[in-house]
Amino acid sequence: MGATVLVVGEQIDGVLADTTYELTALARQIADGGTVVAAGGGPGFESAASAIAADRVCVLGGAHMNDYTPEAYVAAIGALAGDCGADVVLAATSAVGLDTAAGVAAALSLPLVSYVVGARPEGGALVTTSQLYGGKLLAESEVGGGRAVLTVIPGSVSGDAGRGQAGAVESVAAAASPGRMTFRTMIRPEAGGVDITKEEILVSVGRGIENQENIELVEELATAIGGTISASRPIIDSGWLPKVRQVGKSGLTVKPKLYLAIGISGAPEHIQGMKDAELIVAVNTDANAPIFDVADYGICGDLFDVVPALTECAKANA
Ligand SMILES: Cc1cc2nc3c(=O)[nH]c(=O)nc-3n(C[C@H](O)[C@H](O)[C@H](O)COP(=O)(O)OP(=O)(O)OC[C@H]3O[C@@H](n4cnc5c(N)ncnc54)[C@H](O)[C@@H]3O)c2cc1C
């Protein structure tokens, strides 16, 4: 008999997150003929519930489920995991998933396996693959008895098998939150006239650029090809570009026609925000940089040679 796998669904601004479908697809593999249950709260989850290909989709009701707080989600998901006899709980490697998974693992006394990119049942155990050090290493782990909470890196599994028709959609009263935390308001960064999520060409700069003065080189290339400059997080954290230019998990998700990654290693948190670009071109001196795994074209070379050459070429062909 297969396992029961509980998926922690997520919504952002009333829209179901793609990770919900990805986790459901992975849950089906882990369940191995058992039951897949998906759960979540808020209007975005409720409206999309019937399109999640789980055997049961539980819409967690209660005003405290509309806007995320860690303690409300830990209480609700933990209680549901107990009620449905979940062997495995899957959450995304996301702000919501990370703290929900940790809290649920602690509440249920289950091991937590993080940064998972794949998992399968094997002889009563659960075998997981995790991505470490920004994708440079993979670690395979075995959870004896097959019971665990997993956080799964977004985009590591196709969500196709997670889309479809739900077996049953149920309204479930979410367990009460301890009530120490209350969501007040979402503070969004000021747009400052630039919205990188709407741009067709992004030239993104990473730590390989070395210092703020050198960013001018990348700006020249962006201008020459009619693009806009964006960046990885260290560039924003250093104060070299404003937060509205940040691509990635704690920045913005972009889907331009062309994404040029200049001196960016390709950490999972960055990839999460740009993997769906139509065409990805990466420039990096390290042939083993994970960015090359998602790039359509890769230039293994020094950006201080490659970027001026590309700019010159673009100007010559303008
Ligand atoms: C909770 C959390 C959220 C995060 N959110 C984000 C996020 O939203 N966005 C984000 O980007 N990161 C995010 N990060 C950080 C992320 O883990 C990485 O640290 C970050 O993406 C690395 O940025 P980078 O690729 O610019 O720098 P590095 O990893 O330092 O890579 C620099 C790259 O430049 C290359 N290089 C060096 N010199 C040259 C040269 N002369 N020519 C060409 N290539 C060169 C190097 O080979 C290297 O691959 C987050 C981390 C955490 C824990």
Side-chain angles (χ1 to χ4, degrees), residues 206-207 232-233 246-250 263 265 269-270 284 302-303:
R207 193 145 47 186
S232 66
R233 179 166 160 175
Q246 184 185 324
V247 174
K249 175 187 169 130
S250 50
S265 59
E269 295 85 2
H270 187 81
N284 201 303
D302 190 324
L303 72 87

Side-chain angles (χ1 to χ4, degrees), residues 259-312:
Y259 188 86
L260 255 164
I262 312 283
I264 293 177
S265 59
E269 295 85 2
H270 187 81
I271 303 266
Q272 182 177 333
M274 45 64 77
K275 65 181 168 36
D276 292 326
E278 276 181 38
L279 187 75
I280 299 171
V281 179
V283 180
N284 201 303
T285 42
D286 177 3
N288 295 318
I291 192 74
F292 288 133
D293 297 339
V294 294
D296 298 286
Y297 295 97
I299 302 172
C300 187
D302 190 324
L303 72 87
F304 295 104
D305 299 328
V306 175
V307 171
L310 288 175
T311 307
E312 205 175 301

Side-chain angles (χ1 to χ4, degrees), residues 204-242:
S204 220
V205 58
R207 193 145 47 186
I209 198 68
E210 293 178 5
N211 61 49
Q212 187 170 16
E213 288 67 44
N214 291 337
I215 289 180
E216 199 178 329
L217 272 180
V218 180
E219 267 164 356
E220 279 173 23
L221 174 58
T223 305
I225 61 173
T228 298
I229 194 163
S230 54
S232 66
R233 179 166 160 175
I235 302 299
I236 310 303
D237 288 349
S238 303
W240 298 348
L241 285 172

Side-chain angles (χ1 to χ4, degrees), residues 69-206:
T69 63
E71 62 173 10
Y73 267 68
V74 168
I77 297 291
L80 183 64
D83 289 348
C84 69
D87 299 295
V88 177
V89 178
L90 298 182
T93 305
S94 64
V96 170
L98 284 171
D99 46 28
T100 302
V104 168
L108 302 180
S109 295
L110 289 177
L112 173 65
V113 188
S114 305
Y115 298 106
V116 170
V117 292
R120 62 181 191 278
E122 204 175 278
L126 180 66
V127 177
T128 61
T129 306
S130 296
Q131 200 178 68
L132 308 178
Y133 299 107
K136 289 193 170 71
L137 277 181
L138 292 177
E140 198 168 272
S141 318
E142 183 175 318
V143 183
R147 298 197 65 219
V149 179
L150 273 48
T151 53
V152 180
I153 293 178
S156 47
V157 177
S158 164
D160 291 350
R163 293 174 201 271
Q165 182 63 46
V169 177
E170 304 161 27
S171 291
V172 175
S177 165
R180 290 165 300 208
M181 299 172 93
T182 311
F183 174 85
R184 287 178 66 173
T185 184
M186 184 77 81
I187 301 166
R188 297 173 193 276
E190 287 187 22
V194 179
D195 183 354
I196 59 169
T197 66
K198 304 245 160 55
E199 297 294 333
E200 295 200 334
I201 300 177
L202 287 177
V203 184
S204 220
V205 58

